[in-house]
Coordinates of all heavy atoms in Angstrom, one line a residue:
V101 N -0.6 83.8 101.1 CA -1.8 84.4 101.2 C -2.6 84.0 100.0 O -2.3 84.1 98.8 CB -1.5 85.9 101.1 CG1 -2.9 86.6 101.1 CG2 -0.7 86.3 102.3
G102 N -3.9 83.5 100.2 CA -4.7 83.1 99.2 C -5.6 84.2 98.7 O -5.9 84.5 97.6
C103 N -6.3 85.0 99.7 CA -7.0 86.1 99.4 C -7.1 87.0 100.6 O -6.8 86.6 101.8 CB -8.5 85.7 98.9 SG -9.4 84.8 100.2
M104 N -7.5 88.2 100.5 CA -7.6 89.2 101.6 C -8.7 90.2 101.4 O -9.2 90.4 100.3 CB -6.3 89.9 101.9 CG -5.8 90.7 100.8 SD -4.3 91.6 101.2 CE -4.0 92.5 99.6
Q105 N -9.2 90.8 102.5 CA -10.3 91.8 102.4 C -10.1 92.8 103.5 O -9.9 92.4 104.7 CB -11.7 91.2 102.4 CG -12.8 92.2 102.3 CD -14.1 91.6 102.0 OE1 -14.2 90.5 101.4 NE2 -15.2 92.2 102.4
V106 N -10.2 94.0 103.2 CA -10.1 95.1 104.2 C -11.4 95.1 105.0 O -12.5 95.2 104.3 CB -9.8 96.6 103.6 CG1 -9.9 97.5 104.7 CG2 -8.5 96.5 102.9
L107 N -11.4 95.1 106.3 CA -12.7 95.1 107.1 C -13.2 96.5 107.2 O -12.6 97.5 106.9 CB -12.3 94.6 108.4 CG -11.9 93.1 108.5 CD1 -11.5 92.7 110.0 CD2 -12.9 92.2 108.0
P108 N -14.5 96.7 107.5 CA -15.2 98.0 107.6 C -14.4 98.9 108.5 O -14.0 98.4 109.6 CB -16.6 97.6 108.1 CG -16.9 96.3 107.5 CD -15.5 95.6 107.7
G109 N -14.2 100.1 108.2 CA -13.4 101.0 109.0 C -12.1 101.2 108.3 O -11.5 102.3 108.6
G110 N -11.6 100.2 107.6 CA -10.3 100.5 106.9 C -9.1 100.4 107.7 O -8.1 100.7 107.2
E111 N -9.3 99.9 108.9 CA -8.2 99.9 109.8 C -7.4 98.4 109.8 O -6.2 98.4 110.2 CB -8.5 100.2 111.2 CG -9.2 101.5 111.4 CD -8.0 102.7 111.5 OE1 -7.0 102.4 111.6 OE2 -8.5 103.8 111.5
Q112 N -8.1 97.5 109.4 CA -7.6 96.1 109.6 C -7.8 95.3 108.2 O -8.8 95.7 107.4 CB -8.3 95.3 110.6 CG -8.1 96.0 112.0 CD -8.8 95.2 113.0 OE1 -8.2 94.4 113.8 NE2 -10.1 95.3 113.2
V113 N -7.0 94.3 108.0 CA -7.1 93.5 106.8 C -7.3 92.1 107.3 O -6.6 91.5 108.0 CB -6.0 93.6 105.7 CG1 -4.6 93.3 106.5 CG2 -6.1 92.8 104.5
L114 N -8.2 91.3 106.6 CA -8.4 89.9 106.9 C -7.8 89.1 105.7 O -8.0 89.3 104.7 CB -10.0 89.6 106.8 CG -10.4 88.2 107.1 CD1 -10.1 87.9 108.5 CD2 -11.9 88.1 106.9
I115 N -7.0 88.1 106.3 CA -6.1 87.4 105.3 C -6.5 85.8 105.4 O -6.6 85.4 106.5 CB -4.6 87.5 105.6 CG1 -4.2 89.0 105.2 CG2 -3.8 86.6 104.9 CD1 -2.8 89.3 105.6
L116 N -6.6 85.3 104.4 CA -6.9 83.8 104.3 C -5.8 83.1 103.7 O -5.4 83.4 102.7 CB -8.3 83.5 103.6 CG -8.7 82.1 103.4 CD1 -9.2 81.6 104.8 CD2 -9.8 82.0 102.4
G117 N -5.3 82.0 104.3 CA -4.3 81.1 103.8 C -4.7 79.7 104.1 O -5.8 79.5 104.6
A118 N -3.9 78.7 103.6 CA -4.2 77.3 103.9 C -4.3 77.1 105.4 O -3.3 77.2 106.1 CB -3.1 76.5 103.3
C119 N -5.5 76.6 105.8 CA -5.7 76.2 107.1 C -5.8 77.4 108.1 O -5.8 77.1 109.4 CB -4.8 75.2 107.7 SG -4.6 73.7 106.5
V120 N -5.7 78.6 107.7 CA -5.6 79.7 108.7 C -6.4 81.0 108.2 O -6.4 81.2 107.0 CB -4.2 80.0 109.0 CG1 -3.5 80.6 107.8 CG2 -4.1 81.0 110.2
L121 N -6.9 81.8 109.2 CA -7.6 83.0 108.9 C -6.9 84.0 110.0 O -6.9 83.7 111.2 CB -9.2 82.8 109.2 CG -10.0 83.9 108.7 CD1 -10.1 84.0 107.2 CD2 -11.5 83.7 109.3
Q122 N -6.5 85.2 109.5 CA -5.8 86.1 110.3 C -6.3 87.6 110.0 O -6.7 87.8 108.9 CB -4.3 86.0 110.1 CG -3.7 84.7 110.5 CD -2.2 84.6 110.2 OE1 -1.6 85.2 109.2 NE2 -1.5 84.1 111.2
I123 N -6.1 88.4 111.1 CA -6.5 89.8 110.9 C -5.3 90.5 111.3 O -4.5 90.2 112.4 CB -7.6 90.2 111.9 CG1 -8.9 89.6 111.4 CG2 -7.8 91.7 111.8 CD1 -10.1 89.9 112.3
Y124 N -4.8 91.4 110.5 CA -3.6 92.3 110.8 C -4.1 93.9 110.8 O -5.0 94.2 110.0 CB -2.6 92.2 109.6 CG -1.8 90.9 109.8 CD1 -2.2 89.7 109.3 CD2 -0.6 90.9 110.5 CE1 -1.5 88.5 109.4 CE2 0.2 89.7 110.5 CZ -0.3 88.5 110.0 OH 0.4 87.4 110.1
H125 N -3.5 94.6 111.7 CA -3.8 96.0 111.9 C -2.9 96.8 110.8 O -1.6 96.5 110.8 CB -3.5 96.5 113.2 CG -4.0 97.9 113.6 ND1 -3.5 99.0 113.1 CD2 -5.3 98.2 114.1 CE1 -4.3 100.1 113.4 NE2 -5.4 99.7 114.0
L126 N -3.4 97.6 110.0 CA -2.6 98.2 108.9 C -1.6 99.2 109.5 O -0.5 99.4 109.0 CB -3.5 98.9 107.9 CG -4.5 98.0 107.2 CD1 -5.3 98.8 106.2 CD2 -3.7 97.0 106.4
E127 N -1.9 99.9 110.7 CA -1.0 100.8 111.1 C 0.1 100.2 112.0 O 1.3 100.6 111.7 CB -1.7 101.9 112.1 CG -0.9 103.0 112.5 CD -0.5 103.9 111.5 OE1 -1.3 104.1 110.4 OE2 0.6 104.4 111.6
T128 N -0.3 99.2 112.8 CA 0.8 98.7 113.7 C 1.5 97.6 113.2 O 2.5 96.9 113.7 CB 0.2 98.3 115.0 OG1 -0.8 97.3 114.8 CG2 -0.5 99.6 115.8
R129 N 0.9 96.9 112.1 CA 1.3 95.7 111.3 C 1.2 94.4 112.2 O 1.7 93.4 111.9 CB 2.8 95.8 111.0 CG 3.1 97.1 110.2 CD 4.5 97.0 109.7 NE 5.1 98.3 109.4 CZ 6.2 98.6 108.8 NH1 7.0 97.6 108.5 NH2 6.6 99.8 108.5
E130 N 0.5 94.6 113.4 CA 0.4 93.5 114.3 C -0.7 92.6 113.9 O -1.8 93.0 113.4 CB 0.2 93.9 115.8 CG 1.4 94.7 116.4 CD 1.0 95.2 117.8 OE1 -0.1 95.0 118.3 OE2 1.8 95.7 118.4
C131 N -0.6 91.2 114.2 CA -1.6 90.3 114.0 C -2.6 90.2 115.2 O -2.0 90.0 116.4 CB -1.0 88.9 113.7 SG -2.2 87.5 113.4
T132 N -3.8 90.5 115.1 CA -4.7 90.7 116.2 C -5.5 89.5 116.4 O -6.2 89.3 117.4 CB -5.6 91.9 116.1 OG1 -6.3 91.8 114.8 CG2 -4.7 93.2 116.0
L133 N -5.6 88.5 115.3 CA -6.4 87.4 115.5 C -5.9 86.3 114.5 O -5.6 86.6 113.4 CB -7.9 87.7 115.1 CG -8.9 86.5 115.2 CD1 -9.1 86.1 116.7 CD2 -10.2 86.9 114.6
T134 N -5.8 85.1 115.1 CA -5.4 83.9 114.3 C -6.4 82.8 114.6 O -6.6 82.3 115.7 CB -4.1 83.4 114.5 OG1 -3.1 84.5 114.2 CG2 -3.6 82.1 113.7
L135 N -7.1 82.3 113.5 CA -8.0 81.2 113.7 C -7.6 80.0 112.7 O -7.3 80.3 111.5 CB -9.5 81.6 113.3 CG -10.0 82.7 114.1 CD1 -11.4 83.2 113.6 CD2 -10.2 82.3 115.6

Side-chain angles (χ1 to χ4, degrees):
V101 178
C103 61
M104 65 179 175
Q105 183 168 331
V106 175
L107 295 176
E111 301 282 348
Q112 301 179 99
V113 60
L114 179 65
I115 292 175
L116 182 70
C119 306
V120 68
L121 192 68
Q122 293 180 319
I123 294 179
Y124 285 84
H125 196 281
L126 297 182
E127 187 65 32
T128 65
R129 311 186 200 185
E130 293 181 357
C131 179
T132 59
L133 179 66
T134 297
L135 301 172

